[in-house]
Amino acid sequence: MMGLGKEKLLLLYKQMLSIRLFEDRIYQLFLQGMIPSTLHQYQGEEAIAVGVCAVLNEDDFITSTHRPHGHAIAKGIPMEKIAAELFGKVTGCCRAKGGSMHIGDYSVGMLPAIAIVGSGIPIANGVALAFKLRRTKQVVVSFFGDGATNNGSFHEALNMGAIYNLPVVYVCENNFYGASTHISKVMKLENIADRASAYGIPGVVIDGMDVLEVYKVATEAVSRARDGKGPTLIECKTYRYSGHSRSDPANYRSKEELEFWKSRDPIVLFKKRLFELNILDEEADKQIKSEVEREIEKAINFAIESPSPPLEIALEDVYA
Amino acid sequence: MHKLTMAEAIREALREEMRRDPNVILIGEDIGIPGGWGGPFTVTQGLAEEFGNERVIDTPISETGIVGIAIGAAIMGLRPVAEVQYCDFLFCAMDQIANQAAKLRYMSGGQIKIPLVLRAPTGATGRGAQHAQSLEGLFTSIPGLKVVAPSTPYDAKGLLKSSIRDDNPVLFFEHKLLYGSKGARKERGGVELFGEVPEEDYAIPLGVADIKKKGKDITVVAKLLMLHRALEAAEELEKDGISVEVIDPRTLIPLDKETIIKSVKKTNRILIVDECPKTGGWAAEISSTVVEEAMDYLDAPIKRLCTYDVPIPFSPVLENYVIPTKERIIQTIREMLG
């Protein structure tokens, strides 16, 4: 299967499941009033973060968005550190100063997530520029949504990434909605990937619900970037099951639309595939699921038991 | 020591830092084009020839892209010196400056550093309202940024070196009328400014003001072009026996409050002269600081002499009217000493 061994396939599956169950559990805790502020959740889009990050080395980097939990888990931030950050605890990956929208961990190659739509893309270029000038063969992936591609940052950044031939891959998670606005209201194109042609780089449209397709196309784009051949824009068609953020009941979408996408659920699809390939059976699936649940509970308990931040750290880290 | 213009002193700082540290790169519009200008005010002339276009990187007219790429490179340990052609264009990149450069370190809980310098020509120079603003004051209320505003070639070289070696985003404001650029890029109405600049390595720490002229009757705080006007005014008042102490803060963030407060406690009067607009401006910040820390020492109300709260008009006559002049500085000081 695309050079992927059984172990790697199961790892992809487990990671997708981790993201899904983590997000579901976090949402419960949020409803119980245990998590401050708001949440932008990743259920439905798991195949993208997992399929792309599976291609990357530990010293490759990613930039993320206001919806970063999936990217964080896929790039390898320990769930304890993510959960603690969501709870606003000092043991969080950003010492309780980032929160849900700014999850990041430099040590595993994830910059603090950038919650201004589109703004991470020019910064990803800079990371790539450093790799290029130092000839390190590292690559950076910039994740962003469909909404970002209507922002000037996207256009300036794709043009600059193209002219400098930077080792960067632009991954657009097209979930068809910018907050409550459907993409058809704000874009004449059917495919965002067409915008790549304006900058002279390849643009590819893929099924963002199929982790193996994501993995395959990301492999090509990352190799291309690593070999000094420049950026690629990958558009992954996907769907977010939740509203834009926790307070959003998503009344602007039809039930049928949601059901359609849920019928193509990335985890269900991949599980079926693994069953067909005799890599997974009910017993093994149960085992993986309970393992993931244990890890999540451990992370949640860690977060709950962690101390609140001492007040004086609010005044630290402004300047280096 | 040799005598240099401001543009030459800044260029010398860039060249020496690029020779010293391979991580220092330049990013901006029209900065390394063969046969081009070396940036809008000639500062980067010759640097592409010495360091190549891998380290002197010409960009599209994409201010957001420029600041963004510089931030990313800085996070990975390069020391980019990015530039915009006029500080007015900083607004095009405002998200990258204010939401990204200023905050990413903090939001990450101190995991990352952003050793970035962003050079920006400031001040009114007969180009109309969109190439004329003085914005250095405005950036002082965005925690996470440092703001530097040198007034002499010596300060410019030493402060730029410190800014490049600093691990934080530094906005480095250079006044167009102080560059002393020559030939076709010479600024009309520019100050003839040559300064003694050491040829050997030196750095001026950020956050240390400089008393440009000692005096005992009144303290004047001014920066950039206004510093030179204040010095001219002080020289003229000296003839009438009025002794003015002129302080150049040199860096706005961090600010050397101590030097200002100490001077006020000695002279008991303070005038702030500023090319930034008055309302909500940098002069108000200095004024508030003095009220908080030295009000009991004041023998007269604090005065602010600032550019009127208008966009900068085009006509040289009008431009000259809205910006504090030597004559208005003299008149204000006389009134304050009444």
Side-chain angles (χ1 to χ4, degrees):
Chain A
M1 180 69 42
M2 281 187 296
L4 285 170
K6 183 182 167 186
E7 255 174 56
K8 182 95 177 186
L9 290 167
L10 286 174
L11 182 68
L12 298 185
Y13 180 67
K14 187 183 167 191
Q15 278 193 336
M16 284 166 59
L17 206 55
S18 298
I19 295 171
R20 173 70 54 87
L21 298 179
F22 180 83
E23 290 287 53
D24 287 349
R25 183 78 178 102
I26 288 295
Y27 189 58
Q28 286 171 0
L29 292 163
F30 180 81
L31 293 177
Q32 290 167 26
M34 294 184 69
I35 293 179
S37 182
T38 186
L39 294 171
H40 301 79
Q41 297 207 289
Y42 201 68
Q43 293 101 324
E45 305 187 11
E46 294 90 345
I48 303 167
V50 170
V52 171
C53 290
V55 178
L56 299 178
N57 300 329
E58 197 173 325
D59 66 351
D60 290 327
F61 271 72
I62 63 169
T63 66
S64 179
T65 69
H66 57 286
R67 198 179 303 288
H69 307 171
H71 306 139
I73 291 173
K75 192 66 176 76
I77 306 184
M79 264 192 286
E80 282 83 1
K81 289 169 82 176
I82 301 171
E85 190 64 30
L86 299 183
F87 276 77
K89 298 298 184 70
V90 71
T91 50
C93 51
C94 301
R95 296 219 297 160
K97 299 208 277 192
S100 168
M101 286 195 275
H102 304 303
I103 298 285
D105 185 342
Y106 188 86
S107 69
V108 302
M110 179 173 175
L111 295 189
I114 289 165
I116 306 286
V117 171
S119 294
I121 315 173
I123 294 173
N125 276 351
V127 174
L129 177 69
F131 294 159
K132 186 184 172 194
L133 295 183
R134 289 175 169 165
R135 295 169 175 79
T136 63
K137 294 276 178 189
Q138 285 158 283
V139 166
V140 56
V141 169
S142 186
F143 290 102
F144 49 87
D146 44 291
T149 72
N150 285 332
N151 188 280
S153 301
F154 166 86
H155 296 277
E156 291 193 15
L158 260 69
N159 185 50
M160 287 174 78
I163 61 171
Y164 301 134
N165 242 13
L166 295 176
V168 54
V169 179
Y170 305 113
V171 176
C172 177
E173 302 173 324
N174 178 4
N175 62 27
F176 297 92
Y177 289 88
S180 68
T181 303
H182 192 266
I183 190 169
S184 59
K185 282 198 159 185
V186 291
M187 193 182 296
K188 279 257 189 179
L189 295 171
E190 191 187 333
N191 293 319
I192 289 169
D194 291 352
R195 292 188 160 172
S197 67
Y199 305 106
I201 62 171
V204 195
V205 186
I206 63 171
D207 179 4
M209 308 305 261
D210 180 349
V211 70
L212 293 178
E213 185 174 341
V214 173
Y215 182 85
K216 177 172 163 278
V217 173
T219 302
E220 289 161 8
V222 167
S223 310
R224 195 169 176 277
R226 229 185 270 295
D227 293 344
K229 293 176 186 156
T232 305
L233 171 62
I234 304 174
E235 175 190 2
C236 309
K237 307 273 194 197
T238 185
Y239 205 71
R240 59 167 154 78
Y241 294 168
S242 60
H244 166 68
S245 58
R246 52 90 196 170
S247 56
D248 174 19
N251 292 333
Y252 44 84
R253 335 185 280 201
S254 69
K255 211 175 154 201
E256 291 72 31
E257 184 180 281
L258 178 62
E259 289 314 314
F260 167 76
W261 284 96
K262 282 195 166 173
S263 75
R264 309 189 58 254
D265 183 87
I267 298 173
V268 173
L269 285 181
F270 191 45
K271 181 174 156 184
K272 203 171 148 224
R273 196 97 167 254
L274 293 176
F275 269 65
E276 286 162 9
L277 292 165
N278 287 323
I279 287 172
L280 191 69
D281 56 25
E282 284 299 343
E283 188 55 33
D285 184 39
K286 244 187 228 165
Q287 219 173 338
I288 292 174
K289 198 175 166 208
S290 67
E291 198 181 318
V292 167
E293 281 168 345
R294 267 201 313 277
E295 286 169 12
I296 290 170
E297 283 322 297
K298 198 172 145 236
I300 302 290
N301 286 333
F302 172 80
I304 290 171
E305 284 160 21
S306 287
S308 277
L311 298 184
E312 63 270 17
I313 73 162
L315 307 182
E316 297 170 1
D317 302 323
V318 181
Y319 296 99
Chain B
M1 286 282 187
H2 52 174
K3 273 195 190 294
L4 296 181
T5 64
M6 187 83 109
E8 289 164 344
I10 295 167
R11 185 184 307 136
E12 195 165 276
L14 292 173
R15 180 180 287 124
E16 288 177 14
E17 289 304 291
M18 289 180 85
R19 284 179 183 166
R20 189 184 62 81
D21 182 352
N23 289 313
V24 179
I25 59 169
L26 309 186
I27 303 173
E29 297 159 10
D30 303 300
I31 62 173
I33 305 285
W37 316 331
F41 300 97
T42 72
V43 168
T44 57
Q45 267 178 11
L47 298 179
E49 286 79 349
E50 178 170 350
F51 300 103
N53 284 111
E54 260 203 1
R55 291 181 67 194
V56 180
I57 302 171
D58 282 295
T59 69
I61 304 168
S62 302
E63 283 77 10
T64 293
I66 291 169
V67 180
I69 202 169
I71 291 170
I75 291 171
M76 299 316 292
L78 294 182
R79 293 188 173 272
V81 181
E83 63 170 81
V84 293
Q85 298 209 331
Y86 293 82
C87 78
D88 312 70
F89 309 167
L90 290 173
F91 286 133
C92 304
M94 205 59 181
D95 169 69
Q96 289 294 332
I97 297 166
N99 289 328
Q100 313 306 333
K103 295 178 176 55
L104 286 179
R105 171 179 171 76
Y106 187 82
M107 291 180 344
S108 77
Q111 294 179 64
I112 58 173
K113 291 188 274 200
I114 306 177
L116 157 70
V117 177
L118 183 52
R119 295 181 38 242
T122 187
T125 52
R127 289 173 166 90
Q130 296 177 339
H131 294 69
Q133 292 166 90
S134 291
L135 297 177
E136 56 277 3
L138 190 142
F139 286 91
T140 59
S141 47
I142 302 172
L145 302 178
K146 293 190 177 181
V147 181
V148 178
S151 308
T152 68
Y154 174 83
D155 288 347
K157 184 178 172 187
L159 288 167
L160 183 53
K161 286 188 163 225
S162 288
S163 301
I164 292 172
R165 296 172 194 180
D166 197 281
D167 281 335
N168 298 286
V170 178
L171 266 64
F172 195 89
F173 287 88
E174 302 159 7
H175 200 290
K176 284 163 243 160
L177 292 182
L178 300 180
Y179 274 127
S181 310
K182 292 168 199 153
R185 306 300 302 174
K186 186 176 164 68
E187 284 291 294
R188 291 174 82 175
V191 175
E192 284 297 323
L193 186 64
F194 286 91
E196 294 282 349
V197 176
E199 281 160 88
E200 66 271 20
D201 183 44
Y202 71 100
I204 298 170
L206 306 186
V208 181
D210 187 35
I211 301 173
K212 294 291 190 212
K213 182 188 166 299
K214 286 217 170 278
K216 56 183 175 39
D217 296 328
I218 183 168
T219 299
V220 174
V221 175
K223 59 181 160 57
L224 296 163
L225 181 67
M226 293 301 107
L227 175 91
H228 294 276
R229 294 199 175 160
L231 285 170
E232 286 168 24
E235 198 179 323
E236 209 161 307
L237 288 164
E238 198 81 18
K239 294 174 198 154
D240 294 340
I242 297 172
S243 165
V244 182
E245 179 141 305
V246 182
I247 295 178
D248 180 357
R250 300 197 291 194
T251 66
L252 313 190
I253 303 287
L255 178 69
D256 178 0
K257 291 181 192 175
E258 214 180 299
T259 297
I260 296 169
I261 298 298
K262 212 173 137 195
S263 174
V264 171
K265 286 181 177 174
K266 179 179 74 176
T267 64
N268 311 115
R269 285 177 175 81
I270 179 167
L271 167 68
I272 303 123
V273 186
D274 192 13
E275 195 174 329
C276 297
K278 187 171 189 177
T279 303
W282 177 75
E285 178 60 29
I286 301 297
S287 170
S288 300
T289 302
V290 172
V291 169
E292 278 181 339
E293 299 187 22
M295 184 151 121
D296 293 345
Y297 292 85
L298 290 173
D299 286 346
I302 300 170
K303 285 273 180 194
R304 291 176 287 158
L305 191 53
C306 303
T307 296
Y308 294 132
D309 288 337
V310 295
I312 303 296
F314 166 68
S315 163
V317 178
L318 298 177
E319 183 184 280
N320 189 52
Y321 170 70
V322 301
I323 293 168
T325 55
K326 179 184 83 176
E327 290 72 27
R328 277 171 64 206
I329 299 171
I330 290 171
Q331 188 195 337
T332 308
I333 291 175
R334 286 193 195 283
E335 284 165 13
M336 289 175 74
L337 290 168

